[in-house]
Amino acid sequence: MSEDRPAWARRIAAERAARDWSQRDAVKALRAHSTDELPADDSMIRQWKRWESGQIPNEFYRPLIAAVFGTVTHALFPAPARRDGDREILAASGMETLEIVSRLNRSDVDTATLDALRMTTDRLCSEYPYMPSEQLLIEGRQWLRRVVELHSKSLTLAQHREVLALSGWLALLVGCVEYDTGARHAAESTRRAALSLATEADHAEVGGWAHEMRAWFALTTGDYRGVIAAAQAGTELAAHHGVAVQLAGQEAKAWARLGDRRQVEVALDKGRRLLEGMPHPENLDNHFVVDPAKFDFYAMDCYRLVGEDKLAQTLAEEVLRAGTDFDGTERMPMRNAEARVTLGVTAARGGDLEQALIMGERALEGDRQSVPSLIMTSRELAAEMRRRYASEPAAQEYLAHLRELGQAKPGFLPQ
């Protein structure tokens, strides 16, 4: 088939092939996910061929096709993304940073100032995937201090809760960046502060993300039962918010590392159903918004761990496609790095040492890294190298590079 087909058409063909399904098998799976009666097999197979050739399915079939492949509709058939930035903040609020700061120095705070702060917080959270860690940490801490200082101003009850919530979001952001850079103890202190702010503001979503951070910390340090406990606590608090989807993803990753395939599928299906039932997010760039494409990222990690190499490879390629602009700019460098580790693992298992090393080294190259997560996944590639290629000089060189990265960030040395 022509490679001019839309990305979604290429993907459903690749997903089908990864499962060793014929088009008739795919139609059978489609029926299993439909509560309505579908046309006869021959008609549906012709329809499936049209879909794989690039004819867009209607709104009835899109969620069914997504469910067949264990993903959500907007991950497979993405809606156009809306990208917010400084110009949009300026257009919406009429304020530049200097004016916002000057307004914060007043004795009271008006609605326009809070609106501008809300949009500034959204911008910072949207810059998390790609802004250099040092720069984002400086900006995040500066704005956190400014917002926290508002507690000394004359505020209404509603404004007080809003300021607490904004402080919580900024604390979450700062804590994530601290952890990315290896500052584990600072990150945990900041996470606890965010949870305290959420409790005081009675803000379930901020609280849910504070529990999600605890799950992430536990995952990267090997405390898999701790991941499950944190995920369950966060879900109980924020069951109807997007963070519940990410908590399900973290839980699935923990079960995968514990070797429980059934619980992996249960957790992934729980997350998929939650996400499918939620409205499409307005700002896909915000780190604390679960975009539909991220669900494929969770599943990729799980399938790599349980040895479903074809599925893991297919999803890794999709993660890279979704995380890279048409000009080659990487919009999601941290996700892309883990996708490359996945491709390295599947290549190593398939006997292709050269490709495994290319992917493994490329994963370590980016300027914007989440060091704990990257080392966690790279451990798996390192284990494959030791198991299969211990005597190969090129494999030994890669392992040495990985050790250097771990030594540069004490506490995350790969085993």
Side-chain angles (χ1 to χ4, degrees), residues 125-173:
C125 292
S126 300
E127 290 173 341
Y128 173 83
Y130 55 84
M131 181 182 281
S133 302
E134 296 79 7
Q135 181 182 348
L136 186 56
L137 201 53
I138 291 169
E139 284 200 43
R141 285 172 172 165
Q142 285 175 340
W143 281 105
L144 179 56
R145 281 194 298 272
R146 290 165 181 159
V147 174
V148 168
E149 286 170 0
L150 287 179
H151 292 290
S152 63
K153 307 290 185 183
S154 176
L155 300 173
T156 67
L157 180 59
Q159 287 176 330
H160 179 65
R161 290 188 63 186
E162 175 76 7
V163 168
L164 286 171
L166 289 172
S167 301
W169 286 121
L170 288 166
L172 289 170
L173 175 66

Side-chain angles (χ1 to χ4, degrees), residues 2-59:
S2 169
E3 288 310 302
D4 293 335
R5 291 176 296 159
W8 60 262
R10 297 196 300 272
R11 179 177 174 184
I12 64 173
E15 290 265 14
R16 179 176 62 79
R19 291 164 172 77
D20 295 322
W21 286 354
S22 66
Q23 290 174 331
R24 187 173 295 276
D25 293 330
V27 167
K28 183 178 179 180
L30 198 69
R31 290 190 188 284
H33 285 83
S34 177
T35 57
D36 296 306
E37 187 174 347
L38 301 182
D41 276 1
D42 287 347
S43 174
M44 285 304 305
I45 290 169
R46 287 194 295 273
Q47 183 63 66
W48 193 279
K49 290 180 185 292
R50 288 194 285 269
W51 293 335
E52 288 196 4
S53 68
Q55 184 181 99
I56 185 77
N58 64 29
E59 292 184 0

Side-chain angles (χ1 to χ4, degrees), residues 234-356:
T235 301
E236 184 177 348
L237 179 64
H240 304 295
H241 295 277
V243 64
V245 178
Q246 185 138 326
L247 287 162
Q250 299 289 29
E251 184 178 348
K253 291 181 178 186
W255 285 120
R257 286 166 172 82
L258 288 168
D260 193 327
R261 173 63 184 270
R262 178 179 174 278
Q263 291 297 334
V264 169
E265 296 292 353
V266 168
L268 283 177
D269 192 56
K270 176 173 64 177
R272 185 189 67 78
R273 290 176 182 275
L274 283 169
L275 185 54
E276 190 68 89
M278 292 178 178
H280 193 263
E282 289 188 10
N283 181 9
L284 293 175
D285 294 329
N286 189 310
H287 179 60
F288 301 109
V289 168
V290 180
D291 64 294
K294 197 169 187 181
F295 195 79
D296 296 329
F297 177 70
Y298 305 145
M300 173 196 77
D301 182 271
C302 295
Y303 287 132
R304 180 187 69 246
L305 286 159
V306 299
E308 291 282 1
D309 291 347
K310 286 185 178 179
L311 290 175
Q313 179 180 342
T314 299
L315 288 172
E317 290 168 351
E318 177 61 22
V319 168
L320 283 171
R321 186 199 65 78
T324 308
D325 281 335
F326 68 93
D327 61 356
T329 301
E330 299 206 355
R331 293 187 296 106
M332 301 291 179
M334 291 180 285
R335 289 190 207 176
N336 287 0
E338 292 189 43
R340 290 188 174 102
V341 172
T342 295
L343 292 175
V345 170
T346 58
R349 290 172 180 168
D352 189 345
L353 174 60
E354 182 180 3
Q355 180 68 4

Side-chain angles (χ1 to χ4, degrees), residues 167-225:
S167 301
W169 286 121
L170 288 166
L172 289 170
L173 175 66
V174 168
C176 285
V177 183
E178 286 172 338
Y179 199 72
D180 284 339
T181 57
R184 294 171 60 183
H185 297 299
E188 173 59 16
S189 296
T190 308
R191 184 196 73 80
R192 288 175 181 270
L195 184 59
S196 177
L197 289 162
T199 301
E200 189 176 350
D202 192 23
H203 201 290
E205 192 173 10
V206 171
W209 279 106
H211 285 292
E212 191 279 335
M213 285 174 67
R214 181 162 71 95
W216 173 35
F217 297 176
L219 184 73
T220 55
T221 53
D223 178 14
Y224 305 133
R225 293 292 174 182

